[in-house]
């Protein structure tokens, strides 16, 4: 195969919102910025399929940033990093202005941006699937070199510095060695290729490459479907936090159906199941499955025409519900059966998991390595997603900051020569699947891995026995099966590297889930069903040390903790399974 040596001041890996903002900002400080993506930038990745919800804090309209941070902290169950929440909100208006000036269109009515409210925060809607191509055009006009179909396999760590990366062309099969002064990882999160999710192509490549290079990873235990419901009005919050856009006061909450938007099946414009097979209310789809109460139903009987129109517009904006093509109007039915399989997940929450930041400009613990979007563990979402529009806002803010940090770092440093032995070793690792004559196919191994990631009873409803059993098999997979992956063409080569990354991330998620002996947000332990504030107001960090996966606690600062003498229900309005029986 041909070997291409490419030099860059800054190499950005990943072409979504985070990567494009990083590349554009890095270009302000250095001349040679290259952005690579394993797909086609502007037509693939989560950016292309994202709903387009974007939140921003406008100081000319919104007066109290502290209230927004307080709500995010409560929604994220107090594992949010409040410093990063402030950075996110204070930078967000500039990122909105960037998007607008670059030509990204927002939905408007009578001159006003359309959006919604989530408690005190607000989000706004970009025109679906138009913004990604717009961002690509802007990056090219800014002088960024975009290389599509480049699959990155390893980062080059030389003497503790990140000085390059190795990858290949996913169609032609040519090998690429990038020599750089700085790298920005913006390659998305994890989903283990579960087809029920529209981001099933996320394979945690950035998390895995960063971990193998020595970076510190966090947030891997927060996976799946947190309890969505509020507790009774007697124990509910008094500040409106966590309430959907159509609810203004806690007194509106009904204890049986939890709250009216659940009774109708809608939270804002989003559709959720509200009735189980026995006619009772739904807490989470995974828990109803665990209790043998499937199928689940969405109830449209109480929907107003305005609410139906809101849901229809949402699906039209998403571009995923095209039932009109076959003459089906799902909103004519009173009850619609809901596929609980959609709630199966091995996906980390947005703006939560990734590589731990070492400074406000998204540097990692490894000099030369910066991270953004769902590759950065800023923890602005803590243990659960902290609000509509936070994910895309986080991608733009951290992307811009990572690009600035990487650009300034690269501008101050001379080119670093890369040791030939290091490159040879990493090339051998990346190329191993193509060089093997026999071995395990990546498609088969992906199916094997999904037997531990798809079933709801591994990551949605966790238990020590099941987590330990799954970890035993995944450890065996990483030690014995992954090294024997084989590929017959460049496409299988890409699949082989993806399953390698997914298997490593699954092991991190299993170990973190076992390590956190409580339930919180998107982490539910059937054997530890309550939050344990005295022990677990802490983040879990993971790092590779001497070939071993080492986990440690990082306590949340005292000033950011809730008053643990206050009633449990006031601290945590979201109800988790088994909680009311404990």
């Amino acid at each position: 195969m041909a070997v291409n040596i490419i030099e860059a001041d800054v190499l950005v890996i990943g072409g979504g919102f985070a990567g494009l903002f990083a590349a554009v900002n890095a270009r302000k400080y250095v001349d040679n910025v290259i952005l690579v993506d394993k797909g086609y930038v502007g037509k693939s990745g989560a950016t292309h399929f994202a709903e387009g919800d974007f939140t921003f804090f406008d100081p000319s309209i919104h007066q109290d940033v502290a209230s927004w941070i307080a709500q995010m902290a409560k929604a994220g169950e107090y594992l949010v990093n409040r410093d990063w929440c402030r950075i996110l909100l204070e930078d967000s208006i500039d990122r909105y202005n960037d998007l607008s000036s670059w030509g990204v269109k927002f939905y408007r009515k009578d001159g006003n941006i359309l959006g919604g409210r989530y408690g005190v925060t607000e989000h706004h809607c970009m025109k679906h699937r138009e913004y990604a191509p717009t961002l690509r055009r802007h990056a090219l006009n800014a002088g960024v070199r975009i290389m599509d179909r480049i699959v990155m396999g390893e980062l080059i760590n030389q003497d503790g510095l990140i000085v390059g990366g190795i990858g290949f062309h996913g169609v032609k099969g040519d090998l690429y060695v990038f020599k750089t002064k700085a790298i920005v990882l913006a390659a998305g999160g994890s989903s283990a290729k579960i087809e029920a999710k529209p981001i099933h192509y996320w394979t945690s490549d950035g998390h895995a490459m960063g971990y193998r290079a020595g970076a510190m990873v966090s947030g891997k235990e927060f996976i799946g479907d947190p309890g969505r419901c509020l507790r009774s009005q007697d124990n509910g919050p008094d500040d409106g936090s966590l309430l959907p856009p159509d609810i203004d006061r806690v007194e509106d909450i009904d204890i049986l159906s939890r709250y009216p938007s659940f009774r109708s099946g809608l939270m804002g414009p989003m559709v959720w199941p509200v009735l189980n097979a026995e006619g009772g209310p739904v807490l989470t789809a995974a828990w109803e499955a665990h209790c043998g109460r499937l199928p689940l139903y969405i109830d449209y009987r109480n929907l107003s025409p305005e609410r139906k129109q809101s849901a229809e517009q949402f699906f039209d904006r998403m571009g995923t519900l095209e039932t009109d093509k076959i003459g089906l109007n799902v909103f004519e039915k009173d009850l619609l059966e809901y596929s609980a399989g959609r709630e199966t997940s091995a996906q980390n929450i947005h703006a939560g998991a990734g590589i731990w930041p070492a400074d406000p400009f998204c540097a990692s613990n490894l000099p030369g390595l910066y991270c953004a979007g769902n590759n950065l563990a800023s923890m602005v979402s803590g243990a659960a997603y902290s609000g509509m529009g936070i994910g895309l806002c986080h991608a733009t803010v951290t992307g811009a900051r990572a690009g600035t940090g990487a650009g300034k770092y690269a501008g101050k440093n001379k080119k670093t020569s890369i040791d030939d032995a290091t490159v040879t070793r990493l090339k051998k690792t990346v190329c191993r699947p193509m060089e093997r004559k026999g071995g395990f196919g990546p498609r088969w191994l992906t199916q094997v891995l999904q037997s531990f990631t798809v079933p709801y009873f591994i990551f949605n409803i966790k238990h020590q026995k099941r987590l330990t059993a799954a970890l035993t098999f995944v450890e065996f997979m990483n030690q014995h099966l992954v090294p024997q992956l084989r590929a017959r063409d460049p496409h299988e080569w890409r699949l082989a590297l993806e399953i390698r990354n997914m298997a490593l991330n699954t092991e991190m998620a299993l170990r973190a889930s076992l390590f956190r002996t409580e339930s919180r947000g998107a982490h539910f332990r059937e054997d530890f069903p309550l939050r344990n504030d005295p022990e677990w107001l802490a983040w879990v960090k993971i790092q590779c040390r001497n070939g071993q996966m080492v986990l440690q606690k990082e306590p949340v600062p005292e000033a950011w903790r809730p008053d643990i003498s206050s009633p449990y229900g006031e601290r945590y309005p979201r109800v988790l399974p088994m909680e009311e029986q404990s």
Side-chain angles (χ1 to χ4, degrees):
M1 66 182 70
V3 179
N4 302 279
I5 309 297
I6 307 291
E7 293 190 1
D9 294 317
V10 174
L11 174 68
V12 179
I13 302 175
F17 266 92
L20 285 161
F21 265 85
V24 169
N25 264 35
R27 184 65 182 80
K28 298 175 182 177
Y29 300 94
V30 291
D31 293 329
N32 188 3
V33 177
I34 297 177
L35 185 151
V36 299
D37 191 279
K38 64 183 180 182
Y40 180 87
V41 176
K43 293 291 186 181
S44 64
T47 290
H48 183 59
F49 291 97
E51 293 96 326
D53 295 308
F54 186 88
T55 193
F56 62 90
F57 182 87
D58 185 345
S60 68
I61 300 172
H62 310 116
Q63 301 301 317
D64 186 11
V65 70
S67 65
W68 285 44
I69 295 173
Q71 175 177 296
M72 293 170 69
K74 196 167 191 176
E77 304 203 352
Y78 308 105
L79 290 192
V80 301
N81 185 315
R82 296 196 185 206
D83 286 342
W84 273 99
C85 287
R86 185 171 294 277
I87 288 171
L88 177 86
L89 295 174
E90 290 180 349
D91 285 10
S92 62
I93 184 64
D94 291 334
R95 302 293 76 81
Y96 163 74
N97 289 332
D98 285 340
L99 290 168
S100 297
S101 67
W102 297 352
V104 172
K105 304 297 184 183
F106 284 76
Y107 284 92
R108 295 178 181 271
K109 183 178 181 180
D110 300 326
N112 298 315
I113 304 175
L114 291 178
R117 185 172 61 83
Y118 184 81
V120 299
T121 66
E122 296 178 355
H123 63 275
H124 306 277
C125 306
M126 291 176 278
K127 289 196 173 181
H128 184 59
R129 297 193 182 182
E130 293 184 12
Y131 38 80
T134 300
L135 291 177
R136 178 189 176 105
R137 289 192 295 271
H138 180 77
L140 290 171
N141 290 336
V144 175
R145 178 184 176 187
I146 294 178
M147 298 177 66
D148 300 303
R149 313 295 180 190
I150 301 297
V151 183
M152 296 302 297
E154 294 287 347
L155 303 180
I156 301 175
N157 181 336
Q158 186 167 291
D159 300 324
L161 303 177
I162 299 301
V163 295
I166 299 178
F168 61 91
H169 196 283
V171 177
K172 300 176 181 178
D174 295 342
L175 194 68
Y176 285 82
V177 177
F178 293 91
K179 296 182 178 181
T180 70
K181 299 176 183 178
I183 286 180
V184 177
L185 280 177
S190 60
S191 68
K193 294 191 176 182
I194 295 176
E195 294 291 340
K197 300 292 181 179
I199 51 170
H200 59 269
Y201 32 76
W202 270 5
T203 54
S204 294
D205 301 328
H207 295 197
M209 285 189 288
Y211 170 84
R212 287 194 294 264
M216 191 170 289
V217 179
S218 187
K220 297 302 289 185
E221 70 270 37
F222 297 113
I223 292 174
D225 181 24
R228 293 198 188 101
C229 303
L230 302 178
R231 54 188 84 249
S232 71
Q233 63 187 50
D234 293 333
N235 296 322
D238 59 7
D239 59 356
S241 63
L242 297 179
L243 298 181
D246 60 332
I247 304 297
D248 293 321
R249 297 181 56 80
V250 174
E251 285 72 19
D252 294 326
I253 300 170
D254 182 283
I255 180 59
L256 177 63
S257 59
R258 305 296 179 169
Y259 49 75
S261 63
F262 264 59
R263 202 162 50 230
S264 66
L266 289 177
M267 177 173 163
M270 300 178 70
V271 179
W272 304 114
V274 295
L275 298 176
N276 61 34
E278 299 173 359
V282 173
L283 185 58
T284 72
W287 184 246
E288 299 305 317
H290 197 55
C291 296
R293 294 193 288 258
L294 296 183
L296 307 180
Y297 298 94
I298 299 166
D299 185 357
Y300 291 119
R301 288 172 293 190
N302 298 317
L303 275 184
S304 67
E306 293 77 16
R307 299 291 284 166
K308 286 185 179 181
Q309 183 180 15
S310 177
E312 290 170 348
Q313 289 174 345
F314 174 80
F315 282 117
D316 179 64
R317 185 161 54 87
M318 279 285 287
T320 55
L321 188 67
E322 299 179 340
T323 52
D324 59 302
K325 292 182 178 179
I326 58 173
L328 174 65
N329 182 2
V330 298
F331 299 100
E332 291 179 348
K333 295 178 177 290
D334 288 337
L335 293 175
L336 180 67
E337 187 170 325
Y338 183 90
S339 173
R342 277 192 56 84
E343 301 305 311
T344 297
S345 181
Q347 171 195 327
N348 292 113
I349 60 171
H350 303 307
I355 293 169
W356 193 261
D359 69 18
F361 286 91
C362 308
S364 72
N365 58 298
L366 300 172
L369 179 62
Y370 296 77
C371 304
N374 286 302
N375 280 177
L376 182 78
S378 67
M379 302 306 292
V380 297
S381 284
Y385 192 44
S386 56
M388 293 293 292
I390 295 296
L392 290 184
C393 177
H394 178 261
T396 64
V397 168
T398 59
R401 282 184 167 256
T404 297
K408 289 183 175 180
Y409 176 90
K412 295 177 182 178
N413 289 276
K414 297 179 180 179
K415 293 180 181 179
T416 303
S417 60
I418 301 178
D419 181 67
D420 289 340
T422 301
V423 174
T424 299
R425 174 177 58 82
L426 293 175
K427 282 169 59 177
K428 184 177 180 181
T429 300
V430 173
C431 296
R432 182 182 294 126
M434 286 290 282
E435 294 175 348
R436 289 188 61 85
K437 300 298 182 183
F440 301 104
R443 294 178 179 86
W444 174 80
L445 198 54
T446 297
Q447 290 180 325
V448 173
L449 180 70
Q450 287 177 339
S451 67
F452 310 114
T453 56
V454 171
Y456 77 87
F457 51 78
I458 303 296
F459 281 124
N460 292 80
I461 309 294
K462 302 174 184 178
H463 191 284
Q464 180 186 5
K465 291 183 178 179
R466 298 191 294 272
L467 291 170
T468 302
L471 179 59
T472 299
F473 283 104
V474 173
E475 282 183 313
F476 171 76
M477 180 183 300
N478 282 323
Q479 294 167 8
H480 183 74
L481 303 181
V482 168
Q484 299 187 69
L485 277 164
R486 59 107 179 101
R488 295 169 294 191
D489 54 51
H491 180 63
E492 279 201 337
W493 192 4
R494 167 183 168 169
L495 297 180
L497 264 67
E498 288 178 334
I499 182 57
R500 179 185 180 222
N501 293 335
M502 289 190 293
L504 174 59
N505 276 278
T506 300
E507 181 175 343
M508 284 194 276
L510 289 167
R511 289 188 182 278
S513 296
L514 280 165
F515 191 66
R516 182 178 288 277
T517 52
E518 66 154 3
S519 292
R520 187 177 298 269
H523 166 75
F524 174 67
R525 287 282 298 265
E526 191 177 7
D527 46 346
F528 296 96
L530 297 178
R531 290 98 166 168
N532 183 349
D533 286 349
E535 294 293 326
W536 282 108
L537 283 170
W539 298 291
V540 175
K541 291 182 175 180
I542 308 173
Q543 191 173 25
C544 182
R545 298 177 187 169
N546 299 318
Q548 300 297 313
M549 194 174 287
V550 178
L551 286 75
Q552 67 184 63
K553 282 185 183 180
E554 173 76 20
V556 171
E558 289 289 340
W560 297 351
R561 298 180 177 217
D563 179 6
I564 62 173
S565 67
S566 63
Y568 186 87
E570 291 181 5
R571 278 178 282 151
Y572 298 107
R574 182 185 288 114
V575 177
L576 295 177
M578 297 179 64
E579 192 173 280
E580 295 184 326
Q581 291 80 32
S582 299

